[in-house]
Amino acid sequence: MKFVRILLFFCTPFFAQTNYPTDYFTSPLSIPMQLSGNFGELRNNHFHSGLDYKTNQKEGLPVLAAASGYVSRIKISTFGYGKAIYITHPNGYTTVYGHLQKANGAIESYIKYTQYDQKSFEIEQFPLAKELPVKQGDTIAWSGNTGGSEGPHLHFEFRDSKTENIINPLFFGFDKLLKDTKKPFVTSVLAYPITPKSSVNQSNIPIVLHLSLQKDGTFISENVRVHGSVGFGITAQDYDDVSYNANGIYKVQSYRNGSPNFGYQFDDFAFAETRYVNALLDYVRYIKTKQRVQKLFQTNPNDWSLLHTDNSLGIYTPLPNVNQVARIEVSDFNANTTSIQIPIEYAKDSVVIPAPQIDSNYRVKANQDAIVEQGNFTVFFPAKTFYDDFHLRIKATQDTLQLHEDLVPAHTNFQLSYVDSLRNYPEKTYFALIEKGNTIYSPTKFTKNTYKSYVKKLGTYVIQTDTIAPTIKLPKPLEGRWISNETQLNFEITDAGSGIKSYMGYLNSQWVLFEYDNKTNKITHIFNDEQLLEGANE
């Protein structure tokens, strides 16, 4: 009897999709949808988790509830999403609205009450289901530019209410609001020698491949002559018909002789996975050139759930007289696809472009714990801090630790320790990262003559002490000024050392709310006539 099990196995879809409601939710803005960022787009240290709606380069547009439900979370922060509202819906999903200018109605009253009750601008609350119900189309807030936003827009996302996994909003029918007939644009393809003894077209370092456009719209690269093993990487962007700017790509799939061997598509992911963007990227090239090359191979497997690969991990090792063909397909959500074919052949050519010599005094293995000591410093790297093995450069001089440089991405925190029993003001002493001439504070604890800090970045660290108080500045003189026609009060607060930890504002000895904008270092109080006295106010 013959069996067809192997055929059924290979017919199994490489990517599985869940059925989502496509007519349940409506747009959170009343203007036509244009995007400045899409789901899964590659960002600094993270994948973008939603859609960034353009708001005509201004603030104050009404933000509408995408469906009925209740406000289940409110977070006001000086970073990240800034002012954000979360609405839980009865069908098992939660929508998120970020970078808001302010909330509306009962939601804004709830926020202000909580801020005054906790005497804090930054709050995080989880209202009960009956406290702040909303109906589809209600104005819940106005669009803004708060938190980590670099310009006015609305961040909008979907989450599974139980798992909190983030889901591509286009699955919920939002693809119908965005006309897209354009193929993704692959700007370059790179070939990477995988091992120190591997070469590609006589090079020990990555090379850019020449591409030729074919009559059918596909591309063919120059022949790739390989000794050892090779992997490929791409730079690619996607465009729709109405947004007029480049966004991230949805799906990448590579094939070896027609069989899938490496691929990913941005359907959904957990927040704990978002830093895997640094494993996907050619991190060295990104740091040096800001070019985001997506590697279509791995040298050390990781736990990123969106990645699907065979045992080769996307690596090609041609043999004499046995040629291979790689094919890379890049697609958007609407299945517009760009295809590239790469002929691969074995060739033991002499190397013309050698790899640079490695200057290192320690080798870190990604899957093992590592402890490195230099002078009074100790560094502890837990297993899986890094994605790949690498040669570490480390040097200590008095209060300074040169810990490699930011060319190897860390996935998790690692520990820095420094022993010093003679330093004055130990409670004001801390680790600081030197970056572009600035020092960046890292939270530090002092116990038993040892300073300890958990960091997530290689680079140069110094031990420094901060004994200088923050500064408070007024944009214009205030003393004795009539404020009857004023609407707000502004101060600028800065600190040249460890940074602003907290601030308090008082009006006539009573705590009042000052909102903090970290982009301008300004705190702002909006006057309320009920809090002002006739005559002089302090």
Side-chain angles (χ1 to χ4, degrees), residues 215-235:
K215 291 182 179 180
D216 62 357
T218 65
F219 292 86
I220 296 180
S221 86
E222 62 181 294
N223 283 7
V224 178
R225 296 171 58 83
V226 178
H227 177 63
S229 300
V230 64
F232 298 101
I234 61 169
T235 58

Side-chain angles (χ1 to χ4, degrees), residues 491-510:
F491 292 91
E492 181 180 302
I493 57 175
T494 57
D495 186 76
S498 54
I500 302 295
K501 179 181 180 181
S502 63
Y503 66 93
M504 294 285 185
Y506 298 87
L507 179 61
N508 300 318
S509 300
Q510 298 295 317

Side-chain angles (χ1 to χ4, degrees), residues 437-491:
N438 299 316
T439 56
I440 302 172
Y441 169 79
S442 179
T444 303
K445 290 185 177 182
F446 176 75
T447 54
K448 298 181 180 179
N449 300 328
T450 301
Y451 300 89
K452 291 184 179 181
S453 182
Y454 289 91
V455 300
K456 200 178 275 187
K457 201 172 191 178
L458 297 174
T460 299
Y461 288 87
V462 297
I463 296 292
Q464 63 182 35
T465 303
D466 182 2
T467 59
I468 302 174
T471 60
I472 307 173
K473 294 181 181 179
L474 279 167
K476 53 185 177 180
L478 177 67
E479 187 70 27
R481 197 172 82 222
W482 288 97
I483 59 173
S484 301
N485 296 322
E486 302 281 351
T487 60
Q488 62 187 34
L489 181 63
N490 296 297
F491 292 91

Side-chain angles (χ1 to χ4, degrees), residues 376-396:
N376 290 346
F377 292 93
T378 301
V379 185
F380 172 57
F381 299 121
K384 296 189 176 182
T385 297
F386 303 101
Y387 304 110
D388 297 294
D389 300 351
F390 72 101
H391 293 276
L392 175 75
R393 295 188 301 276
I394 182 170
K395 181 180 179 181

Side-chain angles (χ1 to χ4, degrees), residues 299-301 364-370 382-389:
T299 56
N300 188 39
V364 175
K365 295 185 177 181
N367 295 327
Q368 297 180 11
D369 291 350
K384 296 189 176 182
T385 297
F386 303 101
Y387 304 110
D388 297 294
D389 300 351

Side-chain angles (χ1 to χ4, degrees), residues 46-302:
H46 69 283
F47 299 114
H48 189 235
S49 57
L51 302 179
D52 281 347
Y53 274 71
K54 292 183 179 181
T55 56
N56 297 329
Q57 299 180 340
K58 62 183 180 181
E59 301 182 40
L61 273 63
V63 177
L64 314 175
S68 298
Y70 70 95
V71 176
S72 56
R73 183 183 180 191
I74 297 171
K75 187 172 184 179
I76 310 296
S77 173
T78 55
F79 298 95
Y81 292 171
K83 297 181 180 180
I85 293 174
Y86 301 67
I87 298 177
T88 294
H89 307 282
N91 65 345
Y93 300 104
T94 295
T95 50
V96 183
Y97 312 76
H99 306 305
L100 304 173
Q101 183 187 68
K102 63 180 296 185
N104 184 38
I107 304 173
E108 179 68 7
S109 298
Y110 181 98
I111 292 171
K112 286 292 186 290
Y113 174 85
T114 304
Q115 289 172 322
Y116 273 86
D117 182 58
Q118 298 182 7
K119 292 183 170 56
S120 174
F121 168 60
E122 293 192 286
I123 60 170
E124 184 173 18
Q125 292 292 111
F126 299 88
L128 300 176
K130 295 181 179 180
E131 290 187 89
L132 295 171
V134 296
K135 294 182 179 180
Q136 186 176 60
D138 283 353
T139 297
I140 60 170
W142 282 270
S143 66
N145 185 31
T146 56
S149 171
E150 296 179 355
H153 73 280
L154 173 68
H155 175 86
F156 177 66
E157 67 182 54
F158 280 87
R159 299 185 186 183
D160 183 296
S161 298
K162 290 183 178 180
T163 66
E164 294 192 352
N165 281 6
I166 319 119
I167 307 167
N168 192 330
L170 298 185
F171 282 121
F172 294 88
F174 284 76
D175 58 320
K176 301 173 186 175
L177 305 178
L178 192 73
K179 185 179 180 181
D180 183 1
T181 61
K182 297 180 179 181
K183 295 180 180 181
F185 186 53
V186 178
T187 54
S188 64
V189 176
L190 286 79
Y192 287 79
I194 297 300
T195 66
K197 294 183 179 180
S198 297
S199 64
V200 177
N201 291 1
Q202 298 183 288
S203 174
N204 289 142
I205 64 175
I207 61 170
V208 178
L209 301 178
H210 175 72
L211 302 179
S212 298
L213 178 63
Q214 306 302 296
K215 291 182 179 180
D216 62 357
T218 65
F219 292 86
I220 296 180
S221 86
E222 62 181 294
N223 283 7
V224 178
R225 296 171 58 83
V226 178
H227 177 63
S229 300
V230 64
F232 298 101
I234 61 169
T235 58
Q237 299 170 326
D238 190 34
Y239 295 83
D240 59 56
D241 295 6
V242 297
S243 298
Y244 310 109
N245 56 272
N247 287 314
I249 56 178
Y250 169 64
K251 178 182 178 181
V252 180
Q253 182 62 63
S254 67
Y255 300 84
R256 179 202 316 276
N257 296 337
S259 297
N261 66 339
F262 192 98
Y264 48 89
Q265 67 184 42
F266 288 100
D267 292 342
D268 61 9
F269 59 88
F271 268 105
E273 297 182 285
T274 191
R275 200 171 173 88
Y276 281 118
V277 65
N278 292 330
L280 176 63
L281 289 176
D282 178 344
Y283 192 78
V284 173
R285 187 177 292 263
Y286 171 65
I287 292 298
K288 290 184 174 181
T289 69
K290 296 306 176 185
Q291 183 185 40
R292 290 186 169 100
V293 177
Q294 303 178 47
K295 296 185 300 182
L296 308 186
F297 64 93
Q298 288 184 318
T299 56
N300 188 39
N302 59 49

